Amino acid sequence: MRTLSLAALLLPAAAAAADFPDAAALKRLEAQYAPVDLRVDLSGLPSSERRVLGKLVEASRIVDALFLRQAWAGNEALLLQLSGDPGPLGRARLAYFLRNKGPWDRLDHARPFIPGVPPRPAAANFYPAGASRAEVEAWMKSLPEAERERAGGFFSVIRRDAAGKLAAVPYGLEYQGELAEAARLLREAAALTAAPTLRTFLEKRAEAFLGDDYRASDVAWMELDAAVEPTIGPYETYEDGWFGAKAAFEAFICLRDDAETSKLRRFSGELQDIEDHLPEDDALKNPRLGALAPIRVVNEIFAAGDGNHGVQTAAYNLPNDEWVVREKGSKRVMLKNVQEAKFRKVLLPIARRVLAPADRGRVAFDAFFTHILMHELVHGLGPHGINVQGRTTTVRQELTDVYAPLEEAKADVAGLFALQRLIDRGVVDRAMERTLYVTFLASAFRSLRFGIAEAHGLGMALQLEWLLDRGGVVARPDGTFAVADGKVKEAVTSLAREILAIQARGDRQAAKDLLERMAVLRPPVKAALERLRDVPVDVAPRFVTADELAPR
Ligand code: ZN
């Protein structure tokens, strides 16, 4: 699972244009992504590990090409054609094609921006051209169980054989040439590294590329403990619009952030104290918190394939294989420098438009990122397994469709509450109090830009309107917003108390009422969002360090 750190991918529908965009219009579309140089400091890294990184960047470039082929059968021919067009329109089309990894705009309901291409096929290139979803589904159902599992699994495509019959072709065969090359590079990297867990992962992943059994390498990925933190392989299934079954190739080549890692360790040691002091009944508190799912904070050197198109991934949870998750759990990887780029290029411009002048200088990346970390940790606190009228159940089961927006809002406000407690206890520097709430306010507008149709946006609307109602945030006559330092802490605590109580009772009706009453966008907020239309939506990274490590 992937977090883009944007509420949703669908922007308000752009003005309808029957025609295809010309060079100038394509430039405007491209300008939705603010260019940013992604650099990572490698000065602390031994030369062996730098050479490892170079090999991994090379392997990731192969992954990039594989993904392009997976996304649409026509992509490679179109790329060749666009690359041969040196005019301004051709260059603009090529740039936007590469941004979207295909001729359909990922920010605008897959609208085609190059003439002559079909509507985006939901089947991507995972199923045979000309087959229907119903035909493939009926065929899968007709298979004996073991074969059906393979045909419906992550790591095969469905093709027609010479006789026209459907057949599952494993990735190791379908992408044989490229995967052999990528496996060779991973093995060379494995031979170079001084880190044993990294060597194991790379060797096992190379084996998986050739033999299509990814489990041992997923386990090795969970056990990684090295400065170099690579994620490379077929993972997410969002591109498969038919069954959400086929994994797309992606790569994130990253370096562990040691300062953030030790901060995480420090925070983890405080979680029991935070749980013990949450604004809820003492009887509800969990006296013994369980072990946490591991979190890695890294800096991204290179991203490729499904990991680099449209809106950039800010964090991800892997693996997706349920067997591995059951046996070894899953790991959350947070891409700190990508978040920092988004902060600089998107959040700061938003802050300049919607915050009161006095508050603008109080927006800080450290507060932004530390709150995101705390949000993740705090998901583990508060009510989960509950008792409703003698029944043992879970908050998720009881709240069903309103669980997600409420849980996201809980993680945000309980995250603010938790950081305030760490500030008050001297675990976090007092200086963060000045930046924390103001930064959160700016980031609320960033989430709300994408509407309140899904959980994060809806949860954020609830929070902003609650803070406005309780006077923790003030809408000013000039249309900007300010944090009321004297009231914001109490407003945050009161919302945390409200949500935790609803969760503890498993009270779906109360959750619905709260969201219907509060998760709305009232006129001052709507007007502020209108003013953000031309602020970039996201960033377009240039991988400066990767290009130095592995010149093209
Ligand atoms: Zn969350």
Side-chain angles (χ1 to χ4, degrees):
M1 283 268 291
R2 168 199 295 161
T3 309
L4 303 167
S5 109
L6 288 169
L9 291 181
L10 298 183
L11 282 177
D19 296 340
F20 290 93
D22 59 12
L26 283 165
K27 279 232 159 73
R28 281 196 299 277
L29 290 174
E30 179 71 24
Q32 296 175 102
Y33 300 95
V36 64
D37 285 347
L38 224 52
R39 279 176 218 280
V40 177
D41 177 11
L42 303 178
S43 56
L45 206 62
S47 69
S48 66
E49 305 312 298
R50 283 187 216 197
R51 292 177 61 205
V52 168
L53 285 171
K55 298 282 180 195
L56 296 180
V57 170
E58 282 183 57
S60 302
R61 288 185 184 137
I62 296 172
V63 159
D64 210 47
L66 277 182
F67 173 73
L68 207 58
R69 192 188 313 159
Q70 289 184 304
W72 181 45
N75 264 346
E76 287 164 310
L78 183 57
L79 173 62
L80 210 62
Q81 186 197 322
L82 292 171
S83 306
D85 182 348
L89 179 57
R91 284 214 311 276
R93 281 178 175 161
L94 176 61
Y96 209 52
F97 172 90
L98 292 173
R99 174 80 38 235
N100 286 281
K101 295 264 158 75
W104 302 284
D105 192 341
R106 288 178 186 265
L107 284 179
D108 188 10
H109 310 85
R111 180 195 294 266
F113 54 86
I114 293 174
V117 303
R120 178 177 171 185
N125 189 14
F126 296 119
Y127 305 94
S132 71
R133 187 182 185 281
E135 181 191 2
V136 172
E137 196 170 21
W139 168 73
M140 284 201 194
K141 279 194 181 135
S142 75
L143 295 171
E145 196 181 326
E147 270 181 66
R148 191 183 333 136
E149 227 164 77
R150 227 171 303 132
F154 289 129
F155 311 121
S156 66
V157 291
I158 308 304
R159 298 290 179 242
R160 284 193 200 281
D161 64 18
K165 290 207 316 221
L166 295 175
V169 179
Y171 282 3
L173 187 57
E174 175 79 6
Y175 310 119
Q176 195 172 88
E178 288 88 347
L179 288 179
E181 193 57 14
R184 178 183 64 80
L185 288 161
L186 294 197
R187 283 182 171 143
E188 287 177 13
L192 286 166
T193 183
T197 58
L198 178 60
R199 186 180 316 124
T200 305
F201 167 68
L202 294 172
E203 281 168 355
K204 290 192 187 299
R205 182 53 39 122
E207 243 171 76
F209 277 171
L210 304 175
D212 296 298
D213 184 352
Y214 282 82
R215 282 187 177 162
S217 55
D218 274 344
V219 169
W221 185 78
M222 287 301 299
E223 289 170 350
L224 258 182
D225 180 15
V228 174
E229 174 92 27
T231 299
I232 182 168
Y235 284 105
E236 307 285 6
T237 58
Y238 303 109
E239 289 290 306
D240 174 359
W242 271 5
F243 301 105
K246 303 304 177 191
F249 279 93
E250 68 179 0
F252 296 95
I253 306 306
C254 305
L255 197 65
R256 187 167 62 192
D257 189 308
D258 287 327
E260 293 296 331
T261 302
S262 69
K263 185 160 94 188
L264 256 175
R265 207 174 303 127
R266 215 164 67 238
F267 285 7
S268 301
E270 298 289 329
L271 289 178
Q272 185 67 56
D273 170 81
I274 294 166
E275 170 81 11
D276 295 344
H277 291 87
L278 282 178
E280 61 176 357
D281 267 4
D282 283 345
L284 297 170
K285 287 164 185 165
N286 183 350
R288 282 184 68 92
L289 290 174
L292 283 171
I295 298 178
R296 290 275 184 284
V297 180
V298 301
N299 289 299
E300 178 181 297
I301 294 169
F302 194 60
D306 198 24
N308 179 21
H309 54 64
V311 171
Q312 293 292 309
T313 298
Y316 51 90
N317 263 341
L318 286 175
N320 289 328
D321 184 324
E322 281 164 25
W323 181 89
V324 183
V325 174
R326 228 172 20 246
E327 298 295 312
K328 292 297 293 187
S330 64
K331 179 163 83 180
R332 183 159 187 85
V333 180
M334 306 183 64
L335 303 164
K336 185 184 173 192
N337 60 342
V338 174
Q339 308 251 25
E340 208 253 336
K342 289 174 189 257
F343 172 86
R344 258 188 306 122
K345 299 288 183 176
V346 183
L347 194 71
L348 286 182
I350 287 176
R352 282 195 286 273
R353 300 218 187 158
V354 301
L355 295 190
D359 278 359
R360 287 172 202 163
R362 294 166 63 186
V363 177
F365 178 66
D366 188 36
F368 176 73
F369 191 73
T370 307
H371 181 250
I372 295 176
L373 278 185
M374 209 31 132
H375 171 115
E376 295 305 332
L377 295 172
V378 163
H379 269 310
L381 306 189
H384 291 280
I386 53 172
N387 196 297
V388 178
Q389 293 161 345
R391 277 184 303 123
T392 302
T393 178
T394 64
V395 178
R396 186 190 290 274
Q397 269 170 13
E398 295 302 309
L399 298 189
T400 60
D401 55 329
V402 283
Y403 170 76
L406 213 65
E407 175 62 22
E408 289 310 323
K410 177 203 94 176
D412 277 342
V413 285
L416 290 172
F417 173 90
L419 277 174
Q420 184 63 53
R421 178 156 180 89
L422 295 188
I423 291 167
D424 293 341
R425 295 184 62 236
V427 179
V428 169
D429 196 292
R430 175 66 60 184
M432 193 175 283
E433 202 171 46
R434 227 181 87 73
T435 56
L436 181 62
Y437 299 97
V438 173
T439 304
F440 178 72
L441 178 58
S443 108
F445 282 95
R446 192 183 70 139
S447 306
L448 289 173
R449 265 181 103 184
F450 301 96
I452 55 174
E454 64 69 83
H456 290 83
L458 201 58
M460 195 54 100
L462 164 66
Q463 295 174 73
L464 183 54
E465 297 296 350
W466 182 284
L467 295 180
L468 282 163
D469 266 15
R470 301 288 165 125
V473 171
V474 180
R476 292 156 32 100
D478 67 357
T480 62
F481 294 79
V483 168
D485 289 326
K487 293 187 174 168
V488 72
K489 288 183 212 171
E490 183 43 42
V492 162
T493 306
S494 66
L495 180 55
R497 185 180 296 120
E498 177 83 11
I499 294 175
L500 291 168
I502 289 173
Q503 290 188 328
R505 297 197 306 272
D507 190 342
R508 176 161 176 273
Q509 194 53 50
K512 279 185 74 127
D513 290 347
L514 179 66
L515 288 169
E516 265 160 36
R517 206 168 68 240
M518 301 297 295
V520 289
L521 299 180
R522 282 177 283 190
V525 173
K526 267 197 181 147
L529 292 172
E530 273 301 310
R531 295 204 305 277
L532 300 178
R533 280 193 174 274
D534 60 329
V535 172
V537 169
D538 198 48
V539 294
R542 286 183 295 236
F543 300 107
V544 181
T545 301
D547 286 340
E548 286 164 8
L549 285 163
R552 286 161 191 269

